[in-house]
Amino acid sequence: MDKKTVRIAAIGDNCIDYYTESGEAFPGGNPVNVAVYTKRLGHNASYIGAVGNDENGEVVLNALNKKGVDTSHVHVLDGPTAVTEVTVIDGDRKFGTYREGVLSDFKLSEDDIEFAGQHDLIVSGIWGMIEDDLHLLKRTGKPIAFDFSDQFKHPLVEKVISHTDFAFFAADEECEALLIEKMKRFKEMGPKLIIVTRGSIGSLAYDGHTVYRYGVLPCDVVDTMGAGDSFIAGFLVALLRGEDVEGCMACGAKNSSITIQYSGAWE
């Protein structure tokens, strides 16, 4: 495996995860989390997105800077930062009300796109508000990873998956045979790999020839917030460093097992 340090550009949504029972609040959001977990693995990451000019926006920026994530291309817009209400039931997080705030006005600039192209890989997700610019990011020539969450039937899947090299989905309890059928159909749309995280079951990956399976690492689960994003970060770092598919899945599972042993997405 190549021991080089890799650099990932994470683009899209961020928010404050507000835990309704405890009153605790943590920075979060899929691309933000992937950037932080990439740094945790000893690599470089930048976050491109938008926060409000409010206290929550300062919290997000300060937290990212403290983690060493490059925030030079974060837009500070007039208005509130996004907030997601979260409850935790038996260690599993459940999302409630979501207030999008200034993210509804987020738009990538030409400078943002050029900056993203200076990285080894670009990652975003279905709530990231960049679906109309994904083809422009594709023109940078850098591989693109995209997290579709559990939104298998969302209209954006067919709109953007052809611009994606590594497509991630999440499905905790769905029948494996049905999942594999979907993975094969999505693979025909253009990505190099389709990866599905399955919570406590583990993960699946499909490269057009082989279905790969990987389990989970035993650990004490406190909060599953960020588990999938940790997996994605671990998987992508390993991929960029030359690991095979199973090795990438193992790195994803290991990174995820760290995150779910504490409250909130970040420690």
Side-chain angles (χ1 to χ4, degrees), residues 1-266:
M1 183 177 69
D2 190 346
K3 299 299 183 182
K4 72 174 183 177
T5 299
V6 304
R7 190 179 183 207
I8 292 176
I11 307 176
D13 53 301
N14 69 85
C15 68
I16 291 292
D17 292 320
Y18 176 74
Y19 284 66
T20 55
E21 293 99 334
S22 66
E24 295 177 291
F26 304 94
N30 167 248
V32 165
N33 291 344
V34 172
V36 169
Y37 300 139
T38 298
K39 287 294 297 183
R40 187 173 72 187
L41 289 166
H43 297 270
N44 296 323
S46 303
Y47 170 62
I48 304 170
V51 298
N53 59 350
D54 56 0
E55 183 177 349
N56 284 338
E58 290 184 10
V59 169
V60 172
L61 277 176
N62 289 339
L64 284 170
N65 289 330
K66 186 176 180 180
K67 293 294 186 181
V69 173
D70 185 334
T71 59
S72 61
H73 283 67
V74 174
H75 303 225
V76 180
L77 305 180
D78 185 20
T81 301
V83 175
T84 302
E85 292 185 359
V86 182
T87 57
V88 178
I89 301 173
D90 296 328
D92 192 16
R93 86 287 189 262
K94 303 294 182 183
F95 295 115
T97 302
Y98 173 65
R99 296 185 291 277
E100 190 172 52
V102 298
L103 282 173
S104 61
D105 299 319
F106 174 55
K107 180 72 175 176
L108 286 174
S109 67
E110 291 183 7
D111 186 51
D112 292 334
I113 294 170
E114 181 181 354
F115 177 68
Q118 297 170 15
H119 295 70
D120 297 308
L121 179 143
I122 299 166
V123 60
S124 189
I126 199 163
W127 314 121
M129 307 297 290
I130 70 161
E131 57 270 12
D132 292 332
D133 292 325
L134 204 60
H135 68 290
L136 299 176
L137 291 167
K138 186 71 172 178
R139 290 178 189 172
T140 66
K142 298 303 170 68
I144 294 176
F146 201 89
D147 181 12
F148 292 97
S149 185
D150 59 356
Q151 303 296 303
F152 288 86
K153 297 181 180 180
H154 197 290
L156 284 185
V157 176
E158 295 202 7
K159 179 176 181 178
V160 306
I161 199 168
S162 63
H163 302 303
T164 300
D165 295 287
F166 310 107
F168 290 85
F169 291 85
D172 290 356
E173 299 178 0
E174 191 166 350
C175 168
E176 180 178 296
L178 293 177
L179 276 178
I180 292 172
E181 286 183 14
K182 293 177 181 180
M183 294 169 74
K184 290 181 175 180
R185 179 167 62 86
F186 291 146
K187 178 68 178 67
E188 292 176 354
M189 296 180 183
K192 296 176 182 177
L193 277 175
I194 307 294
I195 307 99
V196 179
T197 56
R198 306 187 67 201
S200 61
I201 300 172
S203 58
L204 296 170
Y206 179 63
D207 62 2
H209 302 284
T210 304
V211 175
Y212 301 90
R213 297 170 178 83
Y214 198 86
V216 298
L217 301 182
C219 64
D220 295 326
V221 179
V222 174
D223 181 1
T224 57
M225 180 70 78
D229 300 335
S230 302
F231 181 95
I232 291 172
F235 188 102
L236 294 177
V237 165
L239 183 76
L240 291 171
R241 297 182 74 192
E243 286 276 10
D244 60 17
V245 175
E246 291 176 310
C248 293
M249 296 169 81
C251 289
K254 181 178 179 180
N255 204 31
S256 182
S257 71
I258 296 170
T259 302
I260 62 179
Q261 294 185 68
Y262 56 79
S263 295
W266 310 352

